[in-house]
Amino acid sequence: MAEKAHINSIEECLEKHIPGGELADIKRILYGKELQNLDLPKSALKLALDNDFEIRGYGMPATPEEMRPPRIVRVGVIQNQIVLPTSAPIVSQRNALHCRIEQMVDAASICGVNVICFQEAWTMPFAFCTREKMPWCEFAESAENGPTTCFCQELAKKYNMVIISPILERDEMKGDVLWNTAVVISNTGQVLGKTRKNHIPRVGDFNESTYYMESTLGHPVFNTQWGKIAVNICYGRHHPQNWMMYGINGAEIVFNPSATVGALSEPLWGIEARNAAIANSYFTCAINRVGTEHFPNEFTSGDGKPAHKDFGHFFGSSYVAAPDGSRTPGLSRNRDGLLVVELDLNMCRQVRDKWGFRMTQRLELYAESLNQAVQLDFRPQVVNENGPKQNTTK
Amino acid sequence: MAEKAHINSIEECLEKHIPGGELADIKRILYGKELQNLDLPKSALKLALDNDFEIRGYGMPATPEEMRPPRIVRVGVIQNQIVLPTSAPIVSQRNALHCRIEQMVDAASICGVNVICFQEAWTMPFAFCTREKMPWCEFAESAENGPTTCFCQELAKKYNMVIISPILERDEMKGDVLWNTAVVISNTGQVLGKTRKNHIPRVGDFNESTYYMESTLGHPVFNTQWGKIAVNICYGRHHPQNWMMYGINGAEIVFNPSATVGALSEPLWGIEARNAAIANSYFTCAINRVGTEHFPNEFTSGDGKPAHKDFGHFFGSSYVAAPDGSRTPGLSRNRDGLLVVELDLNMCRQVRDKWGFRMTQRLELYAESLNQAVQLDFRPQVVNENGPKQNTTK
């Protein structure tokens, strides 16, 4: 596959080849302020080794303040391959993923993680490329009391951890409609609420509106014991306005559980969630699944190429970005992984005070401009050489 | 200075140290689709060598279409140091910069450049850190018929080139007010119009509202012989809504003339203009000045440190990004430079068709959301554990 690179991660490659002095410059420019390495417990490292997943930890501290104590949170993000072949019985596939995730959450717990997020539609293969309704719709379940939510509630209580569980939701109370949903489960075990994918791709193999439509739930932010969190699901990361509204609603950490492949997407991966962290002065956690998924029946991709049974390699590379623009290295492009990052949420307001993006944002201007832009008779503001003079009377 | 790195550019360093196979992967992931190298005329290369500036050329072609011929444009971006000390007479400083730019535009012309953009406030040192009104306000001039506009009009006619000239403007007809303005001069020599800085920084050494305020001219797009262009000046690059409105008004190339220094800013530099190219499916040209500018009188920076006479190193690194997320290498961090990029504007619509970001943007939703957000009684959409149940009735 053209997009399957030889390297395991950019950062590994830079560390290997670039000499010390230059490496420091390169890392400073490409990754921002140097992060602390978290000293993770040996038992967690052993768990990772025994169960064949990567584990990494970084610290993103803030400046000490006089009036506020630090607001320390450990977030965990998990990327993983599917466990069983896509032809296995649905329940077996889902149970195998539950088991895999339990191992990884166990390690996260040993690392003191407070809030964890799994990848998009984590209980299933990302089968939407097939355009087959059966059997894939059978993975859908209730956000409130489906087996995966129950499973996560147990984990949340056991580990005193907030869990974000992105699933294919079936809204049984409202016409059995499907949604691409993230369920937010409090560390008390309660379902705090849910949020749905706001922007639905019609690109490449994924016209996901074959299965589910755009969310009508707005941009909810969930107030947890460890800060205000939100979830921008997958393709929503391409839309700066979507990121903005989570910020306006007060989010301090926005998770972006995703499933993305390919040469078209990978160069964008390090840009978008990080730009959102900068523009909105909050933390972002970009999570991508990993591996190649093969399906029982062949399908075409609308690109003139012959039918095939997989749509390419999910390149992993999950990372966390801070309001000051610094970011962690990415997890592997090829392996399951757990990334643990210790944040101080005080950094959000500190960066807001420093850069002043919110203060200088001119929301009133854009509220008015957008209102004009959506009118049927909207005329773009274009200056032509032989047209009327530019209006500069203001 | 902490922020003055040893390396001349990231790309030079990667090319030097990373072996071939891995380098291809690294470049693909960090820079996107491989660009063509433009074969620049020898006489232009000689001019650059003789006059000590870097010159580089790249091609960003689009896919051939049946119904539209390619829409090829060569854009030029120039980054440069000031020429004379900041203590020289104002007219001498400005004239020296005119001469320097004329050399570089001459080379651009030999390279077939159609549209060129200079750096922010290019006729002067970036003196706004001093907070002194005199003599710096004397650099301000009329956008319509000041000496710099007249100079650019001559160049534009001589070389049949659209010129974007970012200056400190004095609006003599309206109370002598100062503005941070870009004048757009048609290849016919006519002043096509002007646009002003929409977002004004109050950060670090730069509370630029000491000198000029936020633009009231909106987000004009200029229809030129070589496409629809717009100018997002400097700090406006931190605001995704600003980039968005140029896109909504139809821009195909957005220039971002800037002046930025420091460890805080440099990691953001490669992210923001490139994210805008992706999110809006247009080309962006990020231009930063280069070098360290020393001022006659010392000033403090609001950071508790002793007074000093410079505020750090402008790190250059100007680059061009395409709608598909690919980007050119940056110009040097240390030298004057001319970057020539041959674009096919057809790529904008091709990427819009492919990714569908505009189609899936849901502007109506954000027009409504922003209108709510700017109301005095706006309440953020927050879900609390013991608060009322989340409203999911829609």
Side-chain angles (χ1 to χ4, degrees), chain B residues 196-248:
Chain B
R196 290 171 178 157
K197 191 168 183 167
N198 268 324
H199 298 267
I200 304 295
R202 282 92 167 156
V203 53
D205 275 308
F206 296 97
N207 181 341
E208 294 174 24
S209 74
T210 301
Y211 299 90
Y212 42 78
M213 302 284 277
E214 287 80 4
S215 173
T216 56
L217 301 182
H219 298 82
V221 165
F222 301 92
N223 197 6
T224 76
Q225 187 178 323
W226 295 285
K228 290 184 176 159
I229 65 175
V231 195
N232 176 349
I233 303 177
C234 196
Y235 183 80
R237 75 180 173 281
H238 303 302
H239 290 285
Q241 288 64 52
N242 195 34
W243 289 106
M244 176 189 66
M245 280 309 304
Y246 295 115
I248 286 176

Side-chain angles (χ1 to χ4, degrees), chain A residues 30-61:
Chain A
L30 287 182
Y31 294 89
K33 203 172 66 182
E34 196 175 347
L35 307 180
Q36 299 170 350
N37 274 305
L38 276 192
D39 212 12
L40 299 177
K42 285 220 175 67
S43 55
L45 302 180
K46 183 167 184 321
L47 211 52
L49 192 67
D50 290 349
N51 292 288
D52 191 24
F53 59 88
E54 186 183 12
I55 185 168
R56 289 180 176 259
Y58 302 94
M60 294 178 154

Side-chain angles (χ1 to χ4, degrees), chain A residues 381 383 390-392, chain B residues 142-144 165 169-174 179 181-185 191-196 215 217-222 231 233:
Chain A
Q381 187 183 354
V383 181
Q390 187 185 6
N391 181 359
T392 57
Chain B
S142 157
E144 285 72 24
S165 169
E169 177 193 4
R170 185 178 292 284
D171 195 350
E172 294 166 350
M173 306 294 283
K174 291 177 191 142
W179 296 98
T181 299
V183 186
V184 180
I185 295 150
V191 174
L192 190 47
K194 64 187 176 187
T195 184
R196 290 171 178 157
S215 173
L217 301 182
H219 298 82
V221 165
F222 301 92
V231 195
I233 303 177

Side-chain angles (χ1 to χ4, degrees), chain B residues 307-343:
Chain B
H308 47 102
K309 293 187 173 183
D310 78 81
F311 50 86
H313 177 72
F314 291 108
F315 52 78
S317 309
S318 305
Y319 68 95
V320 172
D324 66 1
S326 61
R327 59 157 285 183
T328 69
L331 287 177
S332 161
R333 300 180 67 260
N334 302 306
R335 291 181 70 200
D336 290 10
L338 165 66
L339 175 62
V340 178
V341 184
E342 182 174 288
L343 318 171

